[in-house]
């Protein structure tokens, strides 16, 4: 195990200043991902700053207009059990309950969950095989190696890894915002812009800079939120990451779709919004299966499967359809 020093933060401003000044310091809350990264030697911080004592960051607060503010230190299990979250955004509660195990959900924080790093085996295994995310400039072993679980959208020759979070897919579908605090104040980042595509810098998973701390996720009230569903397909029934997942939410006029929101997991370096499908679904009847399939297919014209994951193109469309139908049945 890599040695590190541990200290505890009691004031948000002081914690942010320490992080800004020390490139070898990392925040730790639940530690369910970070400690694994340290054991895998994929992250080697010299100092860990425990932020669990920071005030007000574990609260779950309903917002006017039907939204909710989820503190970054709120535990996954607490958010999944929250009555307002379950009523207003079933897709968020389900995305959390599909993740990890009960023990891990009791420890893991919401802020840490959306920051978790890929489960690509070439990144996680300390076997010295090329990995641009682990050792920039060495290459991507998965590009022409074992890539059954990897991306079909948005990848580059530098990295074909996928993002691992389940609830991040739900947040992306619901147009959530990541509230970030720095020494200069707070900023709100649209969730769909928080995670990065790999491009030429796959070692950067998101847009955060040193000295920035996630303090909350704010989910705006949306008419589609109450009729929403998260569906996850995986190789085994429990404690497994998604091959493909979908977050769907819908509002209707009669049986026709007035608006729909669709995001997918397991297909890209970030939660992937099916914006073309959302547009094509307007006015389509929930009873017209062929039209629903055709609308969803509009978002797969630019899919680029790898050698071992072409099955994901068809599977993802089926998962999106099933998630949409289940969400529609909740109206």
């Amino acid at each position: 195990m890599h040695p590190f020093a541990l200290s505890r933060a009691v004031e948000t401003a002081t914690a942010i200043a320490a992080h800004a000044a020390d490139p070898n310091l990392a925040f730790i809350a639940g530690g369910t991902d970070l400690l694994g990264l340290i054991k895998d030697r994929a992250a080697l911080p010299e100092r860990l700053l425990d932020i669990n004592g920071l005030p007000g960051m574990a609260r779950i607060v309903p917002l006017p207009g039907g939204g909710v503010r989820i503190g970054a230190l709120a535990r996954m299990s607490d958010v999944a059990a929250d009555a307002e979250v379950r009523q207003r955004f079933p897709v968020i509660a389900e995305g959390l309950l599909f993740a990890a195990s009960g023990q891990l959900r009791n420890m893991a924080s919401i802020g840490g969950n959306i920051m978790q790093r890929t489960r690509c085996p070439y990144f996680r295994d300390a076997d010295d095989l090329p990995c641009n995310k682990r050792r920039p400039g060495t290459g991507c072993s998965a590009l022409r190696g074992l890539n059954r679980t990897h991306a079909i959208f948005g990848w580059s020759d530098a990295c074909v890894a996928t993002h691992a979070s389940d609830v991040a897919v739900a947040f992306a579908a619901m147009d959530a915002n990541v509230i970030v605090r720095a020494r200069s104040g707070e900023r709100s980042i649209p969730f769909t812009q928080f995670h990065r595509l790999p491009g030429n810098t796959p070692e950067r998973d998101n847009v955060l800079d040193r000295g920035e701390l996630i303090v909350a996720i704010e989910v705006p009230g949306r008419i589609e939120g109450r009729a929403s569903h998260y569906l996850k397909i995986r190789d085994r029934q429990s404690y497994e990451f998604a091959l493909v997942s979908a977050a769907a939410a819908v509002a209707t006029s009669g049986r026709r779709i007035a608006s729909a929101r669709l995001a997918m997991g397991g297909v890209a370096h970030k939660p992937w919004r099916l914006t073309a499908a959302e547009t094509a679904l307007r006015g389509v009847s929930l009873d017209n299966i062929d039209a629903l399939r055709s609308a969803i297919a509009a978002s797969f014209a630019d899919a680029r499967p790898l050698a071992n994951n072409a099955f994901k193109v068809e599977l993802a469309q089926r998962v999106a359809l099933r998630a949409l139908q289940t969400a529609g049945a909740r109206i």
Side-chain angles (χ1 to χ4, degrees):
M1 185 69 174
H2 171 71
F4 55 81
L6 177 66
S7 58
R8 290 180 172 83
V10 295
E11 186 180 68
T12 304
T14 303
I16 290 169
H19 190 263
D22 186 350
N24 292 309
L25 180 145
F27 294 133
I28 186 168
T32 54
D33 188 38
L34 178 57
L35 293 179
L37 291 168
I38 294 172
K39 290 176 182 178
D40 294 336
R41 304 191 71 79
L44 299 173
E46 295 179 5
R47 285 165 289 282
L48 298 184
L49 183 59
D50 183 345
I51 60 172
N52 286 296
L54 296 183
M57 283 178 52
R59 300 176 62 201
I60 306 167
V61 182
L63 298 175
V68 65
R69 178 182 171 102
I70 302 169
L73 291 176
R75 269 30 190 184
M76 292 171 63
S77 55
D78 291 335
V79 180
D82 185 83
E84 293 294 339
V85 173
R86 292 170 66 89
Q87 180 182 21
R88 299 182 182 196
F89 303 101
V91 67
I92 293 174
E94 291 168 352
L96 289 164
L97 290 172
F98 268 117
S101 65
Q103 295 93 330
L104 288 173
R105 291 194 296 270
N106 287 340
M107 282 295 297
S109 67
I110 289 294
N113 181 274
I114 68 169
M115 290 277 288
Q116 69 180 293
R117 308 205 69 189
T118 185
R119 260 57 188 187
C120 173
Y122 296 106
F123 171 71
R124 290 279 170 168
D125 293 342
D127 53 11
D128 291 328
L129 289 174
C131 175
N132 287 320
K133 187 177 284 292
R134 188 180 180 108
R135 292 176 295 277
T138 60
C140 175
S141 293
L143 183 62
R144 293 177 179 83
L146 300 174
N147 52 38
R148 174 177 175 270
T149 63
H150 289 67
I152 59 173
F153 291 112
W155 55 267
S156 70
D157 286 349
C159 183
V160 297
T162 56
H163 185 65
S165 171
D166 290 297
V167 74
V169 183
F171 284 144
M174 290 292 96
D175 281 335
N177 294 289
V178 184
I179 311 303
V180 174
R181 190 172 299 167
R183 288 179 292 183
S184 58
E186 281 192 1
R187 64 174 174 141
S188 177
I189 306 170
F191 204 91
T192 53
Q193 298 174 25
F194 178 75
H195 298 98
R196 301 176 70 256
L197 291 179
N200 294 320
T201 55
E203 69 276 11
R204 292 197 63 196
D205 294 333
N206 55 64
V207 299
L208 291 185
D209 293 321
R210 296 297 306 178
E212 290 193 309
L213 174 66
I214 300 172
V215 295
I217 308 295
E218 288 191 353
V219 189
R222 301 206 61 93
I223 189 173
E224 305 96 340
R226 294 175 185 265
S228 61
H229 178 58
Y230 183 75
L231 178 61
K232 179 177 181 178
I233 303 300
R234 44 195 167 173
D235 282 331
R236 59 185 181 189
Q237 186 59 28
S238 66
Y239 195 45
E240 182 62 279
F241 297 95
L243 276 176
V244 169
S245 66
V250 64
T252 63
S253 176
R255 290 293 293 168
R256 293 194 175 274
I257 296 172
S259 59
R261 319 195 69 74
L262 284 169
M264 303 215 71
V267 297
H269 200 254
K270 60 186 290 185
W272 194 258
R273 276 290 289 272
L274 303 186
T275 53
E278 291 173 354
T279 299
L281 283 165
R282 292 174 191 155
V284 174
S285 170
L286 284 167
D287 300 316
N288 189 337
I289 305 303
D290 289 339
L292 294 175
R293 286 197 185 103
S294 178
I296 290 169
S299 278
F300 285 80
D302 57 351
R304 294 188 297 147
L306 299 160
N308 301 310
N309 70 359
F311 71 93
K312 280 194 177 187
V313 177
E314 175 65 23
L315 178 62
Q317 292 177 72
R318 293 187 180 191
V319 171
L321 174 62
R322 181 65 176 271
L324 182 67
Q325 290 175 305
T326 303
R330 292 177 168 173
I331 295 173

